[in-house]
Amino acid sequence: AKGLSAEPDNILLKVIRTLNAPLRKGAVELNPLFTPTNVIRDAMSALFREKVFPFGPDYMAGLWGAIRKNSLFSEASREGALLSGIVDTMKSPTVLSRPPLGAITVENVSDAAFLLPRLLVAVPRSISGINVIAERGVRLGTYRQLRRQGLPKLQAAVRARDVTVDFSKAGHTMRVVNQIIPFSNAALQGGALIARTIRDHPV
């Protein structure tokens, strides 16, 4: 049920969101220092919580899936494993939509001839796109590992969302507060994740 409740919206909140937009984008999507910090945090969280080793086979397969949008990406997306990144959540403050499904296909000679240019175009060039790939890659890697261990799709998807900070978690009140005070929910969810990690993995 995560992310299914409608986010409260009115003219005042729209004005506040517009005023906050430069801060949100500047701190995350347009901040080159956010990407390495985000990658390190997510990688360490995945290592501690699900033993997904940074740059291990599952981690790299997850990154490749996020770039290539292959069958792993499509399955995880259908199960809702990717509805939790901070950049994705910021794109649409009132609606959480699933990422587009499917890989780049090669169905004829023309598709094959232009495969490399299509792949280059498909790889995001912006900092925002790189952040999305990094966030999705960790979750995809976790999802892949859990599925290989025999977990059902839904259980693997929920644990993949919880392997790092799930920014889509919020009740009605926090959805309003988060629009007024940028990143308040991120701070709350980050603190809660650290507390759960210490409780579940004290060593």
Side-chain angles (χ1 to χ4, degrees):
K2 292 178 182 177
L4 292 181
S5 58
E7 188 160 346
D9 202 28
N10 56 50
I11 187 65
L12 178 59
L13 290 179
K14 287 181 180 179
V15 170
I16 292 172
R17 267 203 316 271
T18 302
L19 295 174
N20 286 337
L23 173 60
R24 292 176 183 273
K25 287 188 174 291
V28 177
E29 295 184 64
L30 304 177
N31 179 9
L33 297 179
F34 175 80
T35 301
T37 306
N38 200 33
V39 168
I40 292 169
R41 184 206 64 209
D42 285 356
M44 290 300 97
S45 179
L47 176 62
F48 285 124
R49 295 186 64 78
E50 295 291 351
K51 294 184 174 55
V52 177
F53 288 93
F55 305 107
D58 290 310
Y59 185 94
M60 297 307 294
L63 285 177
W64 179 242
I67 294 169
R68 182 69 171 80
K69 295 187 178 175
N70 55 16
S71 58
L72 171 65
F73 178 94
S74 295
E75 180 181 312
S77 180
R78 277 194 298 269
E79 296 303 316
L82 305 180
L83 296 174
S84 51
I86 190 169
V87 178
D88 278 335
T89 305
M90 283 174 53
K91 284 181 181 177
S92 179
T94 56
V95 178
L96 282 173
S97 58
R98 295 181 187 275
L101 303 179
I104 296 174
T105 58
V106 178
E107 298 178 355
N108 52 48
V109 177
S110 176
D111 287 348
F114 291 99
L115 178 60
L116 182 58
R118 290 163 66 206
L119 282 172
L120 291 175
V121 170
V123 175
R125 295 173 182 172
S126 66
I127 294 174
S128 175
I130 293 170
N131 281 324
V132 170
I133 287 173
E135 289 180 339
R136 290 176 177 175
V138 173
R139 291 179 174 89
L140 286 171
T142 303
Y143 181 84
R144 180 179 186 263
Q145 177 173 293
L146 294 173
R147 290 288 290 139
R148 286 195 305 103
Q149 293 172 358
L151 267 70
K153 291 180 181 179
L154 180 58
Q155 188 176 349
V158 171
R159 283 176 60 175
R161 287 179 66 161
D162 285 337
V163 75
T164 63
V165 181
D166 185 348
F167 295 100
S168 68
K169 281 183 180 178
H172 184 85
T173 301
M174 180 50 73
R175 291 179 188 276
V176 175
V177 172
N178 195 54
Q179 293 184 62
I180 299 171
I181 307 172
F183 308 113
S184 55
N185 189 50
L188 178 66
Q189 296 302 332
L193 179 72
I194 291 172
R196 288 197 304 271
T197 302
I198 292 172
R199 180 197 66 194
D200 299 337
H201 309 279
V203 175

